[in-house]
Amino acid sequence: MPTRRARIPATRYPVERFTLDNGLRVVLTPDRSAPVIGVAVVYDVGIRSEPEGRTGFAHLFEHLMFQGSENLEKLAHFRYVQGAGGTFNGSTHLDYTDYFETLPSNALERALFLEADRMRGPRLTEENLRNQVDVVKEEIRVNVLNRPYGGFPWLTLPPVLFDTFPNAHDGYGSFDDLESATVADAADFFRHYYASGNAVLAVSGDIDTAEAVTLIERHFGDVPARPAPDRPDFVEPDLTAERRTAYPDKLAPLPAVASAWRVPDPIDDFAAYLPYVVLAEVLTDGDASRLVERLVRRDRTVTSVGGYLGFMGDPFDVRDPTALLLQAHLPPGGDVDKVLRTVDEELDRLAHDGLSDGELARTQARMATHLLRDTDAVLGRALRMAVLEQQRGEPGLLGELPSLIGEVTEEQVRAAAATLRPERRASVEVLPGGGGR
């Protein structure tokens, strides 16, 4: 008997798309249910874009974009957003950098002015650069150097799985690279990557479409046109033999291990990629999932286990090459070799015996619920649509993702599990307390 799948309808978000003469792509998705808007600007520049000798530069530049702009002094962006009752932030990813605000809908023009002003040019001064280098260095100390499991596995696993600099380097950056950055370097980075033709603006929420178009043209239309840079090809071959390494962490109280396997191209081979997204959830999401049931509840060889696609944990905002990751924390004296062998056993069992009745439907329903919850808020919708436009030219795919997840079959999940072989695996082990095995 075939395993039941979840029946998940598509969600139809209204979408308007257009492109300004300067190359800026715009996505509008009106929702008049509450007087709130989400505004997001996504630039096609991320950690993988950094040149050698400039590790951490994409993240550093995200900070610099908040230090004043062409017509606004330092901290003005903060004051104008918060003064209107809004919130704001930015974040750096492997393949893009985003900037965003949530505001009352009557502050739409304010948000558009602020984003357009820094798209024309941030205030790149020696004072701002040195100050933000210090801020980023402190962030590295807090989040990596002085934290148990700091950078595990998103910084520590890529250099095991990958060989090329764009895919393998430390995206937070080395102190030497950060300290050697100059204002001229920052200005060159801005000219190259922060072009209107390399950006997407998305606005979601309580907007009148015609009015929004007028305001966008007013504020962004005269941003100087610069074309998007050619995007390098980051492809590299899959592993043909298992790779494994370990490193000491003097702050970590328990051993840990993370493994990664390459998966199909999430953009150009989306149909082949989706079963891996479902597989990660089948393996690790919830107490009834395969690896939680086996490793945590039955064998008690780990205290926690998780699985996801992409090194930053979001399967729908990453390009190729990427991977399916599994990570686990072990009890004192835990046996990493045994854990990896058990994972192999469970993958083989899933590939050969399939899923139990209801297992796939339960997983798909939970995944759809998470997708809908994450994009229910107008900002979540604007951010997701901006990235989908940037990477695929399909912002409307957002409404189809839950139903596409529901269409993945048991046979596809089994076939995906069968490809996760030890010879294609890269693993990194954390040795607690700085000691050996």
Side-chain angles (χ1 to χ4, degrees), residues 225-367:
R226 299 198 313 279
D230 292 333
R231 185 174 180 272
D233 186 354
F234 297 136
V235 68
E236 57 180 281
D238 195 2
L239 300 187
T240 56
E242 183 177 13
R243 294 181 181 180
R244 187 167 163 186
T245 190
Y247 68 95
D249 183 341
K250 65 181 180 180
L251 300 177
L254 298 171
V257 65
S259 297
W261 296 260
R262 292 280 298 277
V263 296
D265 188 324
I267 307 296
D268 293 338
D269 202 3
F270 192 48
Y273 175 76
L274 277 176
Y276 289 86
V277 181
V278 176
L279 172 62
E281 302 293 315
V282 167
L283 291 172
T284 65
D285 190 34
D287 288 345
S289 62
R290 292 293 178 109
L291 294 183
V292 173
E293 173 65 30
R294 175 73 189 274
L295 294 171
V296 179
R297 297 167 65 87
R298 193 176 104 190
D299 294 357
R300 300 189 179 182
T301 51
V302 308
T303 57
S304 65
V305 62
Y308 47 95
L309 271 291
F311 287 89
M312 292 187 169
D314 191 323
F316 303 119
D317 73 351
V318 68
R319 291 169 167 144
D320 189 63
T322 189
L324 183 151
L325 279 72
L326 297 175
Q327 68 180 78
H329 291 77
L330 285 66
D335 186 339
V336 168
D337 292 330
K338 183 177 181 180
V339 170
L340 294 179
R341 285 196 303 270
T342 305
V343 169
D344 291 337
E345 290 173 12
E346 288 300 312
L347 289 169
D348 285 343
R349 187 166 70 90
L350 179 56
H352 289 101
D353 300 340
L355 293 90
S356 61
D357 188 39
E359 185 178 7
L360 180 59
R362 179 182 68 244
T363 301
Q364 290 167 319
R366 187 165 57 242
M367 294 175 71

Side-chain angles (χ1 to χ4, degrees), residues 65-262:
M65 288 287 280
F66 285 97
Q67 301 306 301
S69 53
E70 186 171 272
N71 294 296
L72 294 173
E73 72 279 11
K74 189 173 183 176
L75 302 181
H77 192 110
F78 299 41
R79 188 167 63 250
Y80 283 120
V81 173
Q82 292 173 335
T87 60
F88 65 93
N89 213 331
S91 59
T92 309
H93 301 252
L94 288 177
D95 294 303
Y96 66 93
T97 305
D98 57 25
Y99 303 88
F100 48 88
E101 295 87 16
T102 301
L103 286 156
S105 53
N106 61 6
L108 172 62
E109 186 166 15
R110 179 177 300 207
L112 296 175
F113 166 77
L114 293 171
E115 290 297 349
D117 204 56
R118 62 178 166 189
M119 185 178 287
R120 291 187 187 90
R123 294 201 175 199
L124 301 176
T125 66
E126 183 68 21
E127 178 189 2
N128 283 345
L129 177 60
R130 299 275 71 87
N131 174 267
Q132 292 310 302
V133 165
D134 288 342
V135 169
V136 171
K137 286 168 60 180
E138 184 60 22
E139 190 173 323
I140 294 171
R141 291 187 187 100
V142 170
N143 290 337
V144 179
L145 301 180
N146 297 324
R147 172 178 290 187
Y149 312 103
F152 172 78
W154 78 278
L155 294 179
T156 57
L157 190 49
V160 186
L161 179 65
F162 297 121
D163 295 318
T164 64
F165 175 82
N167 297 316
H169 76 277
D170 181 344
Y172 243 142
S174 76
F175 282 14
D176 287 345
D177 284 356
L178 291 168
E179 289 167 352
S180 66
T182 67
V183 172
D185 293 331
D188 183 66
F189 195 83
F190 177 79
R191 282 193 301 270
H192 192 65
Y193 292 110
Y194 277 73
S196 53
N198 206 38
V200 174
L201 165 68
V203 183
S204 176
D206 184 23
I207 57 171
D208 175 88
T209 300
E211 179 187 9
V213 170
T214 298
L215 292 175
I216 289 166
E217 290 174 339
R218 176 185 303 167
H219 290 284
F220 287 90
D222 63 350
V223 174
R226 299 198 313 279
D230 292 333
R231 185 174 180 272
D233 186 354
F234 297 136
V235 68
E236 57 180 281
D238 195 2
L239 300 187
T240 56
E242 183 177 13
R243 294 181 181 180
R244 187 167 163 186
T245 190
Y247 68 95
D249 183 341
K250 65 181 180 180
L251 300 177
L254 298 171
V257 65
S259 297
W261 296 260
R262 292 280 298 277

Side-chain angles (χ1 to χ4, degrees), residues 379-397:
L379 180 59
R381 207 173 308 161
L383 281 167
R384 180 77 78 186
M385 284 198 174
V387 175
L388 290 173
E389 170 64 36
Q390 176 219 52
Q391 296 185 346
R392 302 168 182 271
E394 292 184 82
L397 182 64

